[in-house]
Each structure stands twice: as structure tokens, then as C-alpha cells.
Amino acid sequence: MTTDSLTRFATEKLDRLKKARLHRELTPTSAAANAFVNRDGRKLVSFASNDYLGLTQHPDVVAASVHATQTLGSGAGASRHVTGNHALYRELEQALAAFKGTEDAVVFGSGYLTNIGVIPALVGPDDLIVMDERCHSCIHAGAALARSRVVHFAHNSASAAESLLRRHRHEHRHCLMLTEGVFSMDGDRAPLGRLAEIASAMDAWLMTDDAHGLGVVESGRGSGYRDGARLAIPLEMGTLSKAIGAYGGYLCTSRIVADLIRNRARSLIYTTALPPGVIAAAIESLEIIAANPALTEQPLRNARRFAALRDMPEPQSAIVPVMLGTPLRALEASRRLEELGFLAIAIRPPTVPDGTARLRCAFSAAHTIDTVDRFAAAVDRAIESL
Ligand SMILES: *Cc1c(COP(=O)(O)O)cnc(C)c1O
């Protein structure tokens, strides 16, 4: 019977994950103001959310979302190409392009959908993809859908990227270079100035993922900027689900490429448009970010304070990994922190390489200095007793 082999298949797969301490459970968790969450009947301070500016709870963002839902309805009803393209889309795309300093922007259903839509819309089986080995799962998924030849360069090594291009660029028609501006699990920043120069010299199209940069680095403009100037990055994607505190993804690019993407990206064409309330929240958040550069400096300030208290290298973003090695150690540290009133998630393979299980600590403008200090002490205690 098919059910039997299906059940056996699932059971065996799960047993293997459980033995390796890699099984994951979804725990009901509800967010509250000031980076608090309710979980298992307890109130914890969360260092596990990507809501870097606390904007998911901002009264103006929530009000904008409620107003749009009341006036335009709860769902978009169809794809953007059919009748789902409500007027708020254009407003959001223009605001994103203006804030990022590009000609245009295209909004998708999520960051994941952006990467799996944009990459195969630009390169195909005859082309080359050169990417950082630590890129996010959805960048790998986009590359796989493109069916291009994929080569990986050592993490953040511009010279390794350059030598791969020297070796292989001439064998292909087009080439896409992919990396993250701020790496989601390590919190370090890519050498984008150098990569942009190399890409331009070798006719590779640089596409960066700024999921963890927008709202957090370079006065909130993200990793596509350096010291107030925009870098030569023709394709910059990101998400509206993290510092923006809403949901969705986007690509910032030239007008002509945006037109192509609206016509060719399957994950934009064959999926329902985002609900108006989500778009309205993102527009409001972007306005808040653009008007409050001081707010955007707080996550990094908190991350630096935490690292300084624990004698760690100075963070480059709001993400600070505390390395623990094995999945068991990471899980145990996370459990002890929970007993102490803090939520920090154990990140295990395959999300990170084997032997580098860690606590991923994400800092927010919603954390007070005092909370950061107590969290640093709690992390020390949790690890000491391992
Ligand atoms: C979270 C994340 C994404 C996906 O964005 P969603 O909007 O959550 O789908 C893409 N890339 C990176 C680097 C991320 O961390």
C-alpha cells in the first residue's frame, strides 16, 4: 500500500534527523512589543527575530496595514498580471527605488520568491553562475532552477571569485555573480566594492542579497551603499519581511531590467499578488526608516555592546553568531538561555556547515542597553555550564 511505504519513508527520515539532533519542531510563539515573545506560557526577551527595528509592532505601521485592509480588502485576489496589481504596488516600488538609489524596483511575494524568480529569468543552461559558498538556501534554489553551470568561491574571497571568472568566464555567454551583502548566519559583510569592480571588469552581472542590510547598515540604505555612495550593483534584492516588519521581497535595478523581470520571472507572474495591508505596512516602514537614520544605528550599536562585553570581534551587522560546534551544545545553550528568560535559536546544519552549530543572536532597536547587558551575562552563564 502506498500509505505504508510513505509512512515508512517519513519515519526513517525523521529517525535519522532525531538521532543527529537535527530534527526541528515548530513552537507556537507570539510576538509582543519591545522584543518580548510569549512561548509555552512564558514571556521571553527575543534575540531570535529579524525584526531589527521593532517595526512589526510600530503603531503607524500597524495602522497603515489596518487601513489598507479595511479599504481594499484582505487579499489581492489574483496575480499582479491579472487584477492583483493594486495602486499601492507602484507606490512601494517607487519608494524602494528612491531609497536604494536605483531607477526602478520590482516587488515579489517574498525574498525567497524573488531569488527563485530573478535568477532563472536572467541566466540559463548556457550561462555561468559564480557564487559565494555561504549563500542562503533560496539563492541556491534560484541557481538550480536556472540550470546554469554553478561554481562557488570561498566565503567573502574576492580574489577567489576573480580567479574563477578568469578560468571560466570565457566559456559562457552570460555570467551572474551572486552573494549576500550581510550574511544571514555569520553577520559579516561581503567585499561588495571589490566584487563590483571584478564583476564589471569581467562582464559578470553582480546580484546581491540585502535581506539583513536594509534598515540596519549604512544609515538603513543597506549593503549596496558604502560611506554614503551607491556601489555599482546592477541587481540588488532584499526582503520586506525583516527590518521592514511586513512581508514580501524586491529587486532594485534599472528600468529596463525591471521591465524584463515583470515579464519573465515566473514567481511573480504565476502567483497571487501580496495583500494590500502588507504593502501598506511596508510603505509606512520605509518612510519611518528613511526619516530616522538614528533608529537604524541602534541594532548595530547593541550588537557591538554585546560583543565587547564578551570579548568577541566587532560585529559588522545586527547578527552575532556564538559558535558552539555540535548541534547538541547549541541546543543545550539555547535551552538554558530560555530558562534564564531569553530566546536565542540554535542554528544547526544544513543551515550552517558541519561543526559550526551556533546560537544566532540578532539585535534590535527594541532592545534596551540594560537588556543587552543582561543577555550577555546570560549567554556566558549558559555556556559555562555546558
Ligand atoms: C530571509 C532571507 C531570504 C528570504 O526572505 P523572505 O522574505 O523571508 O522569503 C533571502 N535571503 C536571505 C539572505 C535571507 O536571510
Side-chain angles (χ1 to χ4, degrees):
M1 260 167 45
T2 44
T3 349
D4 279 346
S5 67
L6 174 60
T7 306
R8 225 179 310 125
F9 165 75
T11 308
E12 282 168 16
K13 280 262 182 196
L14 286 169
D15 282 350
R16 229 173 299 149
L17 287 173
K18 284 174 186 164
K19 278 205 191 85
R21 297 277 177 167
L22 296 176
H23 183 251
R24 307 176 189 208
E25 298 252 12
L26 294 169
T27 313
T29 310
S30 56
N34 302 322
F36 279 100
V37 296
N38 294 303
R39 192 177 244 213
D40 293 331
R42 294 187 60 214
K43 206 170 171 194
L44 305 169
V45 190
S46 174
F47 286 85
S49 173
N50 301 312
D51 182 13
Y52 296 117
L53 302 172
L55 292 178
T56 62
Q57 308 289 324
H58 193 290
D60 295 350
V61 175
V62 174
S65 178
V66 169
H67 177 72
T69 303
Q70 278 170 341
T71 50
L72 298 167
S74 60
S79 159
R80 294 188 64 182
H81 280 279
V82 184
T83 55
N85 199 48
H86 45 88
L88 293 173
Y89 262 109
R90 199 62 212 133
E91 199 182 320
L92 177 57
E93 290 182 343
Q94 281 170 352
L96 279 165
F99 190 53
K100 289 280 193 177
T102 57
E103 280 179 9
D104 205 350
V106 185
V107 168
F108 285 75
S110 72
Y112 198 108
L113 289 171
T114 309
N115 276 325
I116 66 165
V118 171
I119 298 168
L122 295 175
V123 286
D126 295 335
D127 301 321
L128 176 68
I129 292 178
V130 176
M131 69 193 277
D132 189 287
E133 62 186 356
R134 298 233 188 119
C135 279
H136 191 269
S137 174
C138 65
I139 303 176
H140 288 281
L145 282 174
R147 294 185 292 129
S148 303
R149 175 177 182 194
V150 180
V151 291
H152 299 99
F153 59 87
H155 179 53
N156 276 347
S157 170
S159 59
E162 186 172 26
S163 63
L164 282 178
L165 282 172
R166 282 197 198 292
R167 199 156 351 129
H168 301 299
R169 176 67 190 90
H170 68 275
E171 298 160 10
H172 299 270
R173 185 183 52 154
H174 297 140
C175 173
L176 194 59
M177 184 192 278
L178 299 170
T179 192
E180 292 178 30
V182 172
F183 278 82
S184 63
M185 296 298 144
D186 295 280
D188 53 348
R189 287 177 67 175
L192 291 187
R194 200 56 206 108
L195 289 174
E197 279 169 18
I198 293 165
S200 159
M202 310 282 283
D203 188 26
W205 307 330
L206 177 60
M207 174 167 167
T208 63
D209 181 329
D210 195 42
H212 300 275
L214 176 63
V216 179
V217 301
E218 306 289 332
S219 302
R221 287 180 195 273
S223 57
Y225 276 77
R226 191 54 53 111
D227 304 326
R230 183 158 177 90
L231 299 169
I233 300 169
L235 303 152
E236 186 186 25
M237 66 74 62
T239 174
L240 303 168
S241 326
K242 290 170 182 165
I244 298 286
Y247 195 63
Y250 63 85
L251 175 74
C252 282
T253 187
S254 65
R255 203 163 288 128
I256 192 100
V257 173
D259 192 5
L260 176 71
I261 292 299
R262 288 191 188 96
N263 280 279
R264 299 296 296 175
R266 286 163 184 266
S267 62
L268 181 145
I269 300 168
Y270 299 106
T271 191
T272 302
L274 283 166
V278 166
I279 304 269
I283 293 169
E284 186 65 32
S285 285
L286 259 183
E287 268 176 35
I288 292 171
I289 292 171
N292 293 282
L295 173 69
T296 68
E297 280 154 24
Q298 291 177 25
L300 188 51
R301 183 203 63 193
N302 285 339
R304 286 190 174 143
R305 185 170 178 93
F306 171 80
L309 287 168
R310 303 195 64 254
D311 290 328
M312 299 169 74
E314 184 171 303
Q316 299 175 311
S317 74
I319 303 158
V320 183
V322 173
M323 294 296 181
L324 291 162
T326 65
L328 184 58
R329 274 170 60 84
L331 285 173
E332 191 54 23
S334 174
R335 195 186 60 75
R336 287 179 197 191
L337 273 171
E338 205 165 318
E339 285 170 3
L340 297 169
F342 297 97
L343 188 64
I345 300 296
I347 305 286
R348 296 168 278 166
T351 308
V352 292
D354 277 333
T356 70
R358 66 196 67 182
L359 290 175
R360 175 184 182 273
C361 307
F363 291 84
S364 166
H367 296 131
T368 63
I369 299 257
D370 175 59
T371 306
V372 172
D373 291 359
R374 288 189 297 111
F375 178 59
V379 170
D380 284 341
R381 254 182 78 190
I383 291 176
E384 265 163 31
S385 56
L386 282 180

